[in-house]
Amino acid sequence: MTNASQAWGSAPSKRFDTIAERFRGIFSDIGRDAIRHDLGRELRFNDYDVLKKAGFSKLRLPEKFGGLGLTLPEFFGLVIELAEADPNLTNAYRSHLGFTEDLLNAEPSPWRDAWLTRIEQGETIGSGFSEIGDTRLGTYSTQLTRDGSGWRLNGEKYYTTGSLYADWITLGAVDGDGAPIGALVPTKAEGVEILDDWDGFGQALTASGTARFTDVAISEDLIKPSALRFSYSGGFFQLVHLASLAGIGRAAASEIARHVAERKRVYQRSNASRFAEDPQVLQVVGRVRGAAYSAGVIVLKAAEALQAAYEANLSGDVKRIALANRNADLEVSQSVTVVSNLILDASTVLFDALGASAAKRSHGLDRHWRNARTITSHNPRIYHDRIVGDFAVNGISPTPHGGVGIVSRTEKEQAGA
């Protein structure tokens, strides 16, 4: 069934539904088991692999590398549909999809083509950038140091989303001189230990825990030519989260509608003899569905701005690149709080449409709020609002996206000087 036939809005392209059909049966199977996996905290290794075999890991890959060559609006349309089935899997693939975007924006080179070929062959990549503890903002405690003709990796990462599922971890570190450096690390290499110790109350199946590296041998060909990410990476990774929220909204809307349709008992104060005909209950269901619809439309519109940034990068026009990347960042930031509020509200108010039975663990309706609340906590939306306001009032363009870390007293004083 197409999005248009379900009133989720028009497809992002004429070919979209044809492309999406190869995945929709898989999405349906994933969604059917989502509650069971959530209740049992069962990682979705098999589903991750089924998606990979169907080509989900190659959505943006050029056709000459065995990919589908999707535009970014088409890509995010599919991300929404997967998130409707289970947003844990969209996050598990998030780093891989971002690394692919890195390659698509990189200058042609043997290194780039080698990694495009690895992805063509089905290899996937997890995340290894975030660290906890007292690491200074803008740097890493993880180190890559020279060891003969190769390197040695030592350190620890957290929020290593998708790494337990993947073949590789893409990570950031510092070299022996303290300069930033990036590398790809085999997840099965000697000295690599990946733990499923993420203890969040939502998104528990993303494999977002700790990865430890102890004297891991890294060959020269696994060192990235540049530690920099693609220019619209901040907006891209944030929009994956927003697409996940839109998918959560769709799942919540569909599930609450089904529960209302199936319910036989009514309250004495009900407005109808059948629960499914009570106008106040229907109003709640409609509110949830409207939130999901609006979130999806916003995501696909913001995806158009990212597509413009990607095309600008290919053009080589410096002014066009700067403007497109600024607009992409702003359009995503303008979407963050709106989409977050829509889905957080929808995943709360849906309980008003069913009564106490909505709280049954077996219904799994609470997972929608837990997942949405966890996703919206990753990148504080208050900062997005401030950035948008600063642009609107003062014409200040967004600063580059950074990590998380400790700022020394001296650095604070210099920043305030």
Side-chain angles (χ1 to χ4, degrees):
M1 189 179 293
T2 67
N3 286 342
S5 64
Q6 296 182 76
W8 288 129
S10 58
S13 70
K14 291 181 179 179
R15 66 174 186 167
F16 177 78
D17 285 317
T18 300
I19 295 169
E21 276 306 312
R22 69 188 291 175
F23 297 102
R24 284 176 174 155
I26 298 171
F27 294 162
S28 179
D29 290 342
I30 290 170
R32 194 174 296 115
D33 288 338
I35 295 174
R36 176 174 63 81
H37 280 273
D38 179 74
L39 291 174
R41 204 184 186 283
E42 302 172 9
L43 294 181
R44 310 204 68 160
F45 289 102
N46 182 65
D47 298 301
Y48 183 94
D49 289 339
V50 169
L51 285 167
K52 181 167 60 175
K53 289 175 183 176
F56 193 84
S57 61
K58 298 183 278 190
L59 297 178
R60 288 272 292 150
L61 214 63
E63 292 180 4
K64 69 177 182 178
F65 284 100
L68 299 179
L70 267 59
T71 66
L72 283 164
E74 291 170 338
F75 165 84
F76 280 103
L78 275 180
V79 172
I80 291 172
E81 292 196 27
L82 174 57
E84 181 180 1
D86 193 334
N88 287 279
L89 284 165
T90 60
N91 260 23
Y93 268 104
R94 182 169 174 258
S95 185
H96 171 85
L97 300 169
F99 180 74
T100 303
E101 208 69 19
D102 265 330
L103 298 176
L104 297 179
N105 284 271
E107 291 292 329
S109 68
W111 191 92
R112 173 183 181 267
D113 286 353
W115 279 100
L116 287 172
T117 300
R118 281 190 170 108
I119 294 174
E120 177 185 8
Q121 293 170 347
E123 297 180 27
T124 55
I125 295 95
S127 179
F129 287 93
S130 297
E131 298 180 353
I132 56 178
D134 294 337
T135 304
R136 187 167 60 84
L137 183 64
T139 188
Y140 300 104
S141 63
T142 302
Q143 293 189 327
L144 268 165
T145 53
R146 272 290 182 187
D147 181 29
S149 61
W151 301 76
R152 288 284 172 179
L153 174 66
N154 285 279
E156 184 171 297
K157 297 288 186 178
Y158 197 60
Y159 301 121
T160 56
T161 305
S163 292
L164 271 172
Y165 297 109
D167 303 290
W168 300 86
I169 297 175
T170 178
L171 58 75
V174 292
D175 64 16
D177 297 321
I181 186 171
L184 278 297
V185 182
T187 55
K188 301 296 190 295
E190 185 177 353
V192 176
E193 181 185 17
I194 305 173
L195 306 176
D196 181 26
D197 60 349
W198 161 241
D199 65 349
F201 57 68
Q203 294 294 98
L205 311 181
T206 58
S208 295
T210 301
R212 296 182 182 133
F213 309 99
T214 306
D215 284 331
V216 182
I218 303 294
S219 57
E220 184 67 35
D221 63 307
L222 298 183
I223 301 297
K224 295 178 183 176
S226 172
L228 298 176
R229 305 304 302 268
F230 60 101
S231 59
Y232 54 91
S233 60
F236 177 91
F237 285 115
Q238 186 64 57
L239 200 58
V240 173
H241 283 327
L242 299 187
S244 296
L245 289 173
I248 289 170
R250 288 188 186 181
S254 298
E255 287 178 28
I256 195 62
R258 175 172 55 81
H259 282 296
V260 167
E262 294 172 351
R263 184 181 172 107
K264 295 181 179 179
R265 296 192 306 160
V266 298
Y267 288 97
Q268 187 169 354
R269 293 181 174 181
S270 178
N271 301 289
S273 58
R274 290 184 63 244
F275 206 68
E277 296 174 352
D278 189 318
Q280 287 185 281
V281 172
L282 295 176
Q283 181 180 13
V284 174
V285 175
R287 180 175 167 184
V288 174
R289 188 176 176 86
Y293 167 81
S294 300
V297 170
I298 292 169
V299 167
L300 294 183
K301 187 63 181 176
E304 293 178 10
L306 294 187
Q307 180 69 24
Y310 167 70
E311 293 172 1
N313 285 348
L314 298 183
S315 75
D317 184 325
V318 176
K319 289 185 178 179
R320 179 184 171 190
I321 291 170
L323 179 61
N325 281 291
R326 186 207 67 178
N327 287 351
D329 212 349
L330 282 169
E331 288 198 39
V332 174
S333 284
Q334 287 169 173
S335 307
V336 170
T337 292
V338 178
V339 171
S340 298
N341 286 349
L342 282 169
I343 305 306
L344 287 173
D345 177 67
S347 58
T348 299
V349 75
L350 66 83
F351 290 91
D352 293 331
L354 203 58
S357 61
K360 292 175 65 175
R361 291 294 306 281
S362 59
H363 285 342
L365 293 173
D366 62 306
R367 79 188 193 283
H368 298 308
W369 182 88
R370 288 187 288 104
N371 288 333
R373 181 64 267 181
T374 301
I375 289 171
T376 56
S377 298
H378 284 322
N379 303 99
R381 49 191 163 142
I382 55 174
Y383 297 142
H384 288 279
D385 288 341
R386 188 205 72 229
I387 288 166
V388 171
D390 202 12
F391 171 76
V393 174
N394 301 310
I396 304 298
S397 294
T399 55
H401 288 252
V404 179
I406 302 298
V407 178
S408 68
R409 179 175 296 178
T410 301
E411 288 172 320
K412 289 180 181 178
E413 291 171 351
Q414 290 175 345

